[in-house]
Amino acid sequence: MQTKVLIPKAGMGTTEGTILKWLKVEGDTVTEGEVIVEIETAKAVQEVTAPVTGILVKILLPEGHTAEVYTEIALISPQ
């Protein structure tokens, strides 16, 4: 079963985030807790970590795009 990576809520009043930079590409192995993407919110740049260990199989939101918090931005499959 694939695990969703979401734009996290960074604090009170944060409603959206912009993908600044993917640190991994589709097909890369990721480890739980490893930083995989940087997201900019109104307050700061936030590093988002992999919620599980596996393969980053799909990036759903490319760099430069903005979406609401809790939007699905990538999928990780178990190894």
Side-chain angles (χ1 to χ4, degrees), residues 9-59:
K9 185 156 180 85
M12 298 285 292
T14 301
T15 59
E16 63 183 20
T18 301
I19 303 296
L20 287 182
K21 181 175 183 167
W22 282 100
L23 305 175
K24 296 288 186 172
V25 297
E26 290 180 1
D28 281 355
T29 300
V30 297
T31 303
E32 183 177 354
E34 177 182 14
V35 177
I36 59 172
V37 64
E38 295 175 346
I39 296 177
E40 181 178 32
T41 66
K43 300 186 185 244
V45 173
Q46 184 172 3
E47 295 178 330
V48 177
T49 60
V52 295
T53 297
I55 305 293
L56 180 62
V57 292
K58 186 72 177 167
I59 292 175

Side-chain angles (χ1 to χ4, degrees), residues 1-3 76-78:
M1 184 166 119
Q2 295 180 335
T3 300
I76 298 173
S77 284

